[in-house]
Amino acid sequence: MKIADRLHQAGIILPEPPLPVANYIPSAIAGNLLFISGQLCLDNGTLHQRHIGKVGGSVSTDLGIEAAKFCAINLLAQARAALGDLERIQRCVRLGGFINAQAGFTALPPIMNGASDLMVAILGEAGKHTRTTVGVAELPMGAAVEIEAIFEVR
Amino acid sequence: MKIADRLHQAGIILPEPPLPVANYIPSAIAGNLLFISGQLCLDNGTLHQRHIGKVGGSVSTDLGIEAAKFCAINLLAQARAALGDLERIQRCVRLGGFINAQAGFTALPPIMNGASDLMVAILGEAGKHTRTTVGVAELPMGAAVEIEAIFEVR
Amino acid sequence: MKIADRLHQAGIILPEPPLPVANYIPSAIAGNLLFISGQLCLDNGTLHQRHIGKVGGSVSTDLGIEAAKFCAINLLAQARAALGDLERIQRCVRLGGFINAQAGFTALPPIMNGASDLMVAILGEAGKHTRTTVGVAELPMGAAVEIEAIFEVR
């Protein structure tokens, strides 16, 4: 199945990729690796109030999962902007997940699954990735989740 | 000296590599780089109570060092599972270390040395790596240490 | 314009690169990628008192920006030591920025710009990079900022 079909099936329309909020670029290709800058949990460019704050605190588990999913959608939007066509993705190699965690909240992997599940749903086998998930003290704009990625491309 | 001999000399038997705790894979090869997912300080699959909590708080420096060593053992176990033979490792390129740090605990590099020393002890010259060590707010399952790796392979 | 000229124009003399504070190496080349270990905000080897502590707390925004700039200078010093000549840099691919953030301080991207702006000022187009910025709980020696880098080299 083609990626475009999987996006359609999942009801996802990739947004215009968010512009960097400072002096950097959203993606860079070195050899066969595509690096994507850390993406916040923006919904089509907007950081909703419900995705601001600490997961396990003011942000519920379900909303944390939703936030991680938005990060993944933005990563794919950036990849498409960089590559022209998502079919050029050979595989998602690595996701680096940073959860804005309430003190004592250690159930971080289920939150990060919001991104991992989306990546596999859209890219299929090519979406299976390594990942690192940690709980951080603060994130830009108070976002609940930030995720960066490395893709292998052709 | 061969890696198997160094493991024997150090009295280390690599465990079955821990299974990912969620929807991701433990390792991925892209070109000549082997990416390993963040590994928690599991001892042969078990997260001991003594390795849960904040380093510099309920987890002492010595236990933090031990935790970092277990992360490194799991990284090598994952590398062996991915490569079939650790001799295929050209070098350890990078370790990313995340210490579950008590507020005010800044002696993070000696903790991370638990992993770095093990890597050099087992891989020799090929074990000398770049690294980044930071203190994070929370880690999955309350683990004291999590470490990810990139290896160059042949 | 050559990198040496841009350094001169910016009034920057690259220091002797800081030695690793523990059992690791400052840089490693794998294929066409140069990995640099996380660099603290040392000024020619010295961690000033004004760059110790929490950005948004005891460390002001301006000093946080200065700290990030010192990290970038150290990254370039390490790159020069690894490559012999900074002109071998094809591009800065990625910066990973860790800000020692006061609780509630979310204006992290402007802090990280201290590094990003320096990288672009010195490397020009080749200095435009992807990046990830997060606020962490603690950093080695209480440093305000730590930054790691990946460069593509020729």
Side-chain angles (χ1 to χ4, degrees), chain A residues 37-51:
Chain A
S37 290
Q39 299 294 304
L40 302 178
C41 44
L42 306 178
D43 172 13
N44 208 355
T46 299
L47 181 58
H48 295 302
Q49 191 62 40
R50 70 180 188 272
H51 295 143

Side-chain angles (χ1 to χ4, degrees), chain B residues 67-104:
Chain B
K69 181 180 173 179
F70 278 122
C71 294
I73 289 172
N74 291 326
L75 288 167
L76 288 173
Q78 297 291 6
R80 189 178 63 178
L83 300 171
D85 183 347
L86 287 174
E87 299 290 344
R88 285 184 58 200
I89 292 177
Q90 181 83 29
R91 72 184 304 177
C92 180
V93 173
R94 176 185 179 271
L95 294 184
F98 300 94
I99 316 293
N100 194 351
Q102 177 74 9

Side-chain angles (χ1 to χ4, degrees), chain A residues 69-112:
Chain A
K69 181 179 172 179
F70 277 122
C71 294
I73 289 172
N74 291 325
L75 288 167
L76 288 174
Q78 297 291 6
R80 189 178 63 178
L83 300 171
D85 183 347
L86 287 175
E87 298 290 342
R88 286 185 56 200
I89 292 177
Q90 181 83 30
R91 72 184 303 178
C92 179
V93 173
R94 176 185 179 272
L95 294 184
F98 301 94
I99 315 293
N100 195 352
Q102 176 75 8
F105 181 74
T106 63
L108 305 168
I111 304 300
M112 186 63 184

Side-chain angles (χ1 to χ4, degrees), chain B residues 1 12-13 15-16 35 45 58 61 66 80 82-83 86 94 96 98 102 111 137-138 143 147 149-150:
Chain B
M1 196 190 270
I12 293 172
I13 297 169
E16 285 303 298
F35 292 78
S58 65
T61 291
E66 185 182 71
R80 189 178 63 178
L83 300 171
L86 287 174
R94 176 185 179 271
F98 300 94
Q102 177 74 9
I111 303 301
E138 298 292 343
I147 305 179
I150 303 174

